[in-house]
Amino acid sequence: MGLTTGEYSLILELLGREPSYTELGMFAVMWSEHCGYKYSRPVLAAFAKYKEALEGQGFENAGVVDIGDGLAVTMKVESHNHPSAVEPYQGAATGVGGIIRDILTMGARPIASLNSLRFGPIRDGEAPPDVVRRNRYLFDHVVAGIAGYGNCVGVPTVGGEVAFHRDYSGNPLVNAMCVGLLRHEELTTSGAAGEGNPVLYLGSATGRDGIHGATFASDTLDEEGESKRPNVQIGDPFAEKQLIEATLEALATGAIVAIQDMGAAGLTCSTIEMSAKGGVGMKVDLDLVPMRESDMSGYELMLSESQERMLAVASRGREGEVIAIFEKWGVPAVVIGHVTAEPLTVVTRHGHVEASVSAELLADRCPTYEAEATEPQSHRDAQRFDPRTLPNRDPAEALVELLAHPSLASKRWVYEQYDQDVQTQTAAGPGSADAAVLAPRGTQRGLALTLDGNERVVRLDPFVGGQLVVCEAARNVACTGARPRAVTDGLNYGNPQNPEVFWQFRESVQGIAKAAEALGTPVISGNVSFYNQSDRGEIPPTPLIGMLGVIEDVDQALRLAPPVGQGALALLSVPEVEVRQGGLGASAFAALVCGQEDGLPVPPFLEGEVRLHRFLEALATRGLVASAHDVSEGGAAFAAAEIAMAGHYVEANLEGPAFAYAESATEAFFGEIPGRALVALDPARLKEVEELCAGHGLSMQLLGTYAPGDGLALAARGQSIAIDGVRMRAAYQGAIPSLMASGPVVESGGYVK
């Protein structure tokens, strides 16, 4: 069950007796790291909104942001890492389904999905052959699971990212994000209320799948992972689609008092958390629960994580309205109990009391731990990195290597499997802008959405890396012309009882919190996933940042490359950034081209990042630029190549004040300096843009031109890059399809063929 001896002793003390078997199972899942956040809760208090929730009314299923016109956006990211490691298709599919229901139970219609995926190497020679084959199998089936569920449920998958690193072999990361839209008056709560109000079970029948899924997610993967397949739920996207429509219609009647998804810990989580949040109790008769097998025990019914289920409290006397709506949509709905004034959750099966506990004990009395934290030697070593020790590489060949690396290459093979346009609100999908852009009906405003991470910079400098991930996500939405507004985070780490892992977690969370506060983008929701390690070792620290931006006029949204034509290409930069290690510390060039994952990333200047966001927003609003593109992984050369591959001949000189830090052409081409973006503009408006730029306290430097054509020509420090578009696109667009061309790998008996 994953409980320690000390935790069991605390349960005895709190209850004043021995728990029943079902009660013990309920404590186990509610006190798991996945549900109880016992190692992370003290650290997460660095987030102002998290602390506010802890000290106030508690948590809802997701955070909410007002975007004007009477509308609000709700969003959240969740991990489904361990399930996806042992059953990749269903693990990924049910991750999508679960996060959609979290958004739905806020009273919102889910309007967009994003995902962030991490796998071990899929290129031959970068890992043993059997490991490479396994990684390809996981990659193929996770993407298929996301597509299979998302495409059927009718929520567009509009953005995300995929990266590969040797330390994800054995423990891939699958983080799913969902965004919903609602009117303010439609906002719902999960807090149960009203003595005598009926408790309704909504959705699919309960089976034996997913039992102890929360404790499975709070444990280390090992060679017995295959035996844990029963911990993985089975999804039904068509049932979820019916559930979405029935729930939204029922909520519109006003007959529902409170509602919550049966996610991790199933009926246990929903009954306990709804009771605890409302300060009430519940009495539930498990004999009334729809079940797939009639011989299921009370323990199994309370801990099953079968999918497409929710729990609701209706106003007494109006439950018939709710049930009729769900029956119309073909969705089971049944009263299984009622709310009680006494704050006890009482559960019976066949007339026998399976559990009788105070919800507060399970929801709020989970012990928390201040783990030991130790700075890893790797961080101290990174401070001594000297970029001059990197091997000399021909810059053109280095750029092609970066373009062809699966982590940086085009993810078209992935996103072409996803339906990006269902609901017909997607204005800019994957590959066309730095962030997805939605044009929701009912407003002229647009939404810019991204989900970003960079495990390399976080591993080598967790505090600065945490800041950089937030800044990168904010810059991506700003490059569409949006103002960054809010963050949801997915925090993925190894074992928190490892002092070095806990140090990485603490430092990166503090970095995220500082950046989010400075940028005015509060962390409104999120998820922590610990114990991401296998017998091959632990994963790199991987915090992921989901960022929401709001565009005042969606018709003015910017793409990453200009339309067909010609003009000037300029670099915007934050002048206060202090470059260290030539911008090559913790860079893609050092790691992916030179094989040296070493050095420290360049810290962002947070006040300057805000000025850059406002400037980009002003440029879009006034129609002063044709496009904007963030400069990040791969440096200025990589960003210029992405613009060129959109069908332009780009010619630029990477010299002058913006590159004064560079002691070599390599540093100018591939140095990763935060606070930078490339913009395309009409030379006739150059002076106007320069004056506006100066007013925002930013630097602007004309680098070169773009024109009709096909290719890239860059110069710096006496060296040059000259590549035609055909070669660039072959490397960039062909990398992943060529690796996956042999078709899906078939798994049989736990082995990969």
Side-chain angles (χ1 to χ4, degrees), residues 122-123 126 162-164 402 404-411 735-736 739:
I122 59 172
R123 294 199 295 193
E126 294 185 353
V162 188
F164 304 86
L402 288 174
H405 193 281
S407 287
L408 299 184
S410 168
K411 304 306 185 299
I736 290 177
L739 292 169

Side-chain angles (χ1 to χ4, degrees), residues 419-443:
D419 188 336
Q420 304 145 34
D421 298 312
V422 64
Q423 297 189 24
T424 65
Q425 297 181 112
T426 306
S432 62
D434 279 8
V437 177
L438 298 184
R441 283 177 283 276
T443 178

Side-chain angles (χ1 to χ4, degrees), residues 21 33 50 72 121 172 204 247 383 389 438 452 551 559 561 572 606 631 720:
Y21 186 63
E33 179 61 39
Y50 188 95
S204 300
T247 300
Q383 298 171 34
T389 63
L438 298 184
D452 291 311
I551 307 170
R559 305 304 193 262
L572 309 178
L606 298 175
V631 178
S720 62

Side-chain angles (χ1 to χ4, degrees), residues 662-717:
E663 297 181 0
S664 67
T666 297
E667 292 177 359
F669 287 136
F670 304 113
E672 297 178 8
I673 317 299
R676 297 192 161 196
L678 290 173
V679 293
L681 68 158
D682 183 343
R685 308 196 74 174
L686 184 59
K687 184 176 180 180
E688 184 181 357
V689 175
E690 285 177 332
E691 290 175 353
L692 187 62
C693 182
H696 281 78
L698 300 171
S699 297
M700 177 175 168
Q701 182 175 320
L702 191 64
L703 296 185
T705 60
Y706 69 93
D710 198 20
L712 177 69
L714 302 177
R717 297 289 192 273

Side-chain angles (χ1 to χ4, degrees), residues 511-742:
I512 291 168
K514 182 174 181 179
E517 181 178 356
L519 271 53
T521 55
V523 178
I524 62 170
S525 62
N527 169 249
V528 178
S529 176
F530 278 139
Y531 302 99
N532 288 292
Q533 61 186 59
S534 68
D535 53 0
R536 294 187 177 92
E538 65 196 20
I539 66 159
T542 314
L544 304 168
I545 299 298
M547 183 69 69
L548 166 70
V550 178
I551 307 170
E552 285 302 306
D553 184 347
V554 71
D555 293 335
Q556 296 173 329
L558 299 172
R559 305 304 193 262
L560 70 83
V564 175
Q566 60 185 27
L569 198 64
L571 177 69
L572 309 178
S573 59
V574 176
E576 296 93 341
V577 171
E578 296 184 8
V579 179
R580 59 184 179 183
Q581 298 178 355
L584 294 180
S587 68
F589 175 83
L592 307 183
V593 176
C594 302
Q596 295 187 31
E597 193 170 319
D598 197 3
L600 298 176
V602 178
F605 185 74
L606 298 175
E607 293 177 11
E609 293 279 351
V610 175
R611 298 199 304 265
L612 178 62
H613 302 160
R614 299 296 184 267
F615 182 51
L616 287 165
E617 181 184 15
L619 291 176
T621 300
R622 300 187 187 190
L624 292 175
V625 295
S627 67
H629 185 30
D630 169 44
V631 178
S632 54
E633 281 193 276
F638 193 89
E642 289 183 299
I643 294 172
M645 286 186 292
H648 306 285
Y649 179 74
V650 172
E651 188 172 10
N653 191 352
L654 308 187
E655 301 278 2
F659 298 92
Y661 70 88
E663 297 181 0
S664 67
T666 297
E667 292 177 359
F669 287 136
F670 304 113
E672 297 178 8
I673 317 299
R676 297 192 161 196
L678 290 173
V679 293
L681 68 158
D682 183 343
R685 308 196 74 174
L686 184 59
K687 184 176 180 180
E688 184 181 357
V689 175
E690 285 177 332
E691 290 175 353
L692 187 62
C693 182
H696 281 78
L698 300 171
S699 297
M700 177 175 168
Q701 182 175 320
L702 191 64
L703 296 185
T705 60
Y706 69 93
D710 198 20
L712 177 69
L714 302 177
R717 297 289 192 273
Q719 295 193 48
S720 62
I721 292 175
I723 315 176
D724 66 77
V726 173
R727 187 182 182 201
M728 285 192 294
R729 283 191 295 273
Y732 184 69
Q733 296 178 1
I736 290 177
S738 65
L739 292 169
M740 304 302 290
S742 58

Side-chain angles (χ1 to χ4, degrees), residues 174-491:
V174 177
N175 283 242
M177 174 178 167
C178 188
V179 180
L181 189 70
L182 70 156
R183 303 202 67 82
H184 290 290
E185 63 271 16
E186 296 169 341
L187 183 63
T188 60
T189 181
S190 60
E195 181 181 0
N197 277 343
V199 175
L200 277 72
Y201 176 111
L202 309 171
S204 300
T206 297
R208 289 189 166 102
D209 53 323
I211 293 175
H212 267 296
T215 46
F216 172 48
S218 306
D219 197 5
T220 299
L221 286 172
D222 53 29
E223 292 181 354
E224 297 179 356
E226 290 299 321
S227 68
K228 295 180 178 177
R229 285 179 185 268
N231 293 132
V232 181
Q233 312 95 317
I234 307 299
D236 182 347
F238 297 105
E240 178 111 335
K241 175 60 176 172
Q242 293 170 292
L243 185 64
I244 290 172
E245 300 305 329
T247 300
L248 291 173
E249 184 175 334
L251 288 171
T253 67
I256 292 180
V257 174
I259 189 167
Q260 178 156 317
D261 168 42
M262 286 189 219
L267 259 173
T268 293
C269 185
S270 51
T271 54
I272 294 299
E273 290 188 352
M274 292 179 75
S275 297
K277 183 170 177 58
V280 296
M282 281 188 188
K283 187 170 183 180
V284 172
D285 183 354
L286 294 178
D287 295 351
L288 302 176
V289 170
M291 59 192 83
R292 295 182 207 153
E293 300 168 73
S294 60
D295 63 344
M296 291 183 70
S297 67
Y299 177 91
E300 292 172 324
L301 289 166
M302 288 302 293
L303 269 67
S304 169
E305 294 183 13
S306 293
Q307 294 292 285
E308 292 83 43
R309 304 179 303 157
M310 295 195 297
L311 196 71
V313 173
S315 295
R316 184 164 46 179
R318 300 191 66 185
E319 59 269 29
E321 293 178 55
V322 176
I323 291 171
I325 290 170
F326 277 83
E327 287 180 344
K328 182 187 76 171
W329 284 98
V331 178
V334 61
V335 174
I336 63 169
H338 62 272
V339 174
T340 61
E342 184 182 11
L344 281 179
T345 299
V346 180
V347 178
T348 62
R349 175 75 166 134
H350 299 314
H352 171 72
V353 175
E354 293 279 335
S356 179
V357 293
S358 167
E360 184 261 344
L361 299 183
L362 288 95
D364 301 325
R365 300 292 291 276
C366 175
T368 58
Y369 301 105
E370 286 283 355
E372 181 183 350
T374 302
E375 179 186 5
Q377 183 63 42
S378 60
H379 181 250
R380 293 189 289 271
D381 292 343
Q383 298 171 34
R384 296 190 291 271
F385 171 74
D386 185 348
R388 291 172 295 186
T389 63
L390 293 173
N392 290 323
R393 295 296 307 271
D394 176 82
E397 296 304 314
L399 178 57
V400 171
E401 284 189 45
L402 288 174
L403 291 169
H405 193 281
S407 287
L408 299 184
S410 168
K411 304 306 185 299
R412 179 174 292 179
W413 181 88
V414 175
Y415 64 71
E416 281 189 339
Q417 299 184 51
Y418 302 153
D419 188 336
Q420 304 145 34
D421 298 312
V422 64
Q423 297 189 24
T424 65
Q425 297 181 112
T426 306
S432 62
D434 279 8
V437 177
L438 298 184
R441 283 177 283 276
T443 178
Q444 187 58 31
R445 290 182 172 89
L447 306 179
L449 302 165
T450 190
L451 182 57
D452 291 311
N454 186 328
E455 63 280 355
R456 184 170 54 253
V457 297
V458 179
R459 168 183 263 176
L460 290 165
D461 193 336
F463 182 80
V464 169
Q467 291 184 317
L468 286 170
V469 176
V470 176
C471 290
E472 162 83 3
R475 211 177 307 123
N476 278 335
V477 302
C479 280
T480 69
R483 177 170 295 195
R485 291 288 305 276
V487 163
T488 179
D489 61 10
L491 306 176

